[in-house]
Amino acid sequence: MFGKTLKSTALALSLLTLPLQAAHASDNGKAAEQQSFDEYAAVEKALQPYITSARTGDGELTRSAFYDHAHIVGSIAGTLYNLDADTFAAAVADGGPSENVRHHIAWINVSGPAAAARVEFIDWGGNRFTDFFILYKEEGEWKISGKVYDSHTNN
């Protein structure tokens, strides 16, 4: 009899804690969703200097978005470009402003401190570009580690 009562009491107590467990799980889920949303926004913010430099032609601004080791590979009009971040920044500056450029962040995918993003540009120096970025978060800051692009022109 005592064992049966003990089991009934344990069952009743466990049923009472279910709403608390569900609330805790819900709080953890909301926190994870908020963190995910915040990381997405942080990656978008890390891309902003690059996006702004498309309009302004500011090579120093575009350079600030990249790690020192970053590499940029792509082609324009069938010519392959394989550049380090400094050379790419100089090319952005040489290209000058593109005041009518428009962009669209097609997607961002985040996994811990690693992220990938696709950004579409139209009318950047008269070209349409699809840029694929690889980013990494170090010491709380997202930066671009590499970029591969297509200019949609004779490629």
Side-chain angles (χ1 to χ4, degrees), residues 64-143:
S64 72
F66 288 89
Y67 279 109
D68 288 342
H69 70 263
H71 212 78
I72 297 88
V73 177
S75 61
I76 300 174
T79 301
L80 176 67
Y81 294 91
N82 190 345
L83 309 171
D84 62 40
D86 292 329
T87 306
F88 179 73
V92 169
D94 288 345
S98 289
E99 294 175 5
N100 295 323
V101 68
R102 293 175 47 203
H103 79 280
H104 167 71
I105 297 175
W107 50 258
I108 293 174
N109 194 336
V110 178
S111 180
R118 176 180 171 176
V119 182
E120 300 284 340
F121 291 91
I122 193 164
D123 199 13
W124 185 353
N127 291 303
R128 176 172 178 230
F129 290 95
T130 298
D131 292 352
F132 295 96
F133 297 95
I134 301 298
L135 299 95
Y136 193 79
K137 183 179 181 182
E138 184 176 22
E139 297 179 9
E141 182 180 17
W142 287 98
K143 285 197 156 216

